[in-house]
Structure formats: C-alpha cells, structure tokens
Amino acid sequence: MEFLEVVFDLKTVYLDKLLFKEFNLTEDKIKSSHFYDTNLEQDKEFYEITSCSDFFTKPGTGTVLVKKIQLGTMLTEVLVLISFDEESGIVEINFPESELIEGNRLDKEKCLKLLEYFLSLMEHYDLKSVRFGYEPAADDDTCLIELKPDVTQIKDLVDRL
C-alpha cells in the first residue's frame, strides 16, 4: 500500500490554532499519540498537552494517529507528524493512497477538495508552500503538486494527476 503525504512548514505560534481549531483534534478522534517531554524526560499523550505551541518551544517531535479527519474531504487513519524547534517546524500528514481512490481511479473531486482546503490554510497560517505527493512529499521526485501563494488554477493541477 502506498501512502500519500501533505507537508508544510509552520510557525509555532499557529500550531494550537491549526491542531485544535482547523483539524479539530479531540481525544475521542485520536486512535493513538506519542510525544516526548524533554523537561520531564517522559512520554506524553496528545490529550496531556494543553498547548502544543508552548510544548514545542523546545525542539521535539510528536505523532498523532487520527481515526477520521476533515481536510476538505473526510480521511481515515491519518498520521499527523509534528516536528518543531522553538519558532517553526514541519507538519506532515500521511494517509493511505486508497483514501483518494474510487473504483480503481483517482477521485479528482476529493483531490481538488483536499488541495482547496490547504490553499485556504495558506492564507490564514502564512504558509509559503504546501507539498502533496507520495511519502516523502518533501522530496522533489515524489512530490506531485506544490501549492504556492500564486497558484490559482488548482483544478488544472489535479487534472494532470
């Protein structure tokens, strides 16, 4: 099974708003999570962290496996990897390719909704780009689409997939 990935850089100050407001992550939607608290030198679960923006003022990484998440389209079994160091970091969202396949074909409508969702996030979270592709989408050879602020015709991008 292939995995698709959405990757973007984010300022730490936006992390709480993204995770709690946009992604609407709550304890009941999370299948599992893992964070390491360097101050206490112990593992933590997502629900034990009251502010991810504060938690990641020290370099660290955390993972959250989400049962279902609405990202323009409903996705299931989504892994959110958060890796930050003080002022900024990387958010990676991984999910099975099958989430965007309908009857052995790419569901272009779902792809379009997903990309539109992230295009709208770019405006609200000062994102310079959002890369979408096969894991690891950060690599040029596995990146299918890179959204940038000047991209306006994302339907044309999806049609090329």
Side-chain angles (χ1 to χ4, degrees), residues 4-155:
L4 293 172
E5 181 173 70
V6 179
V7 179
F8 53 92
D9 293 335
L10 182 73
K11 293 179 183 172
T12 309
V13 296
Y14 294 128
L15 192 54
D16 282 341
K17 185 177 176 189
L18 179 79
L19 297 176
F20 297 113
K21 183 179 180 227
E22 298 294 341
F23 292 177
N24 196 22
L25 295 183
T26 56
E27 188 176 347
D28 61 315
K29 294 178 182 177
I30 295 172
K31 190 171 188 175
S32 66
S33 63
H34 179 263
F35 292 81
Y36 184 74
D37 189 323
T38 54
N39 286 342
L40 300 174
E41 295 183 350
Q42 68 182 27
D43 293 332
K44 286 196 169 233
E45 295 289 326
F46 182 77
Y47 67 87
E48 296 176 293
I49 300 171
T50 55
S51 171
C52 288
S53 295
D54 292 341
F55 184 85
F56 285 110
T57 55
K58 293 189 173 61
T61 301
T63 58
V64 181
L65 181 58
V66 184
K67 297 173 194 171
K68 287 184 178 183
I69 188 169
Q70 179 68 27
L71 301 175
T73 187
M74 186 60 72
L75 300 173
T76 59
E77 297 296 315
V78 176
L79 180 67
V80 179
L81 175 69
I82 308 160
S83 182
F84 276 74
D85 63 4
E86 298 171 12
E87 294 180 15
S88 65
I90 298 171
V91 176
E92 297 176 24
I93 301 164
N94 299 292
F95 54 93
E97 177 185 42
S98 60
E99 289 290 312
L100 297 181
I101 303 293
E102 187 71 38
N104 294 334
R105 294 183 54 163
L106 180 68
D107 187 330
K108 292 188 177 186
E109 186 66 30
K110 280 187 173 182
C111 288
L112 185 61
K113 288 179 180 179
L114 179 73
L115 294 174
E116 286 173 341
Y117 176 82
F118 282 98
L119 196 59
S120 74
L121 287 185
M122 290 180 71
E123 297 172 22
H124 298 96
Y125 293 93
D126 192 29
L127 305 178
K128 304 297 182 224
S129 74
V130 176
R131 294 175 66 98
F132 171 80
Y134 288 98
E135 186 178 18
D139 292 352
D140 289 337
D141 60 335
T142 53
C143 181
L144 299 172
I145 294 174
E146 182 172 12
L147 297 176
K148 294 189 174 189
D150 59 346
V151 172
T152 56
Q153 299 298 321
I154 59 173
K155 186 173 182 336

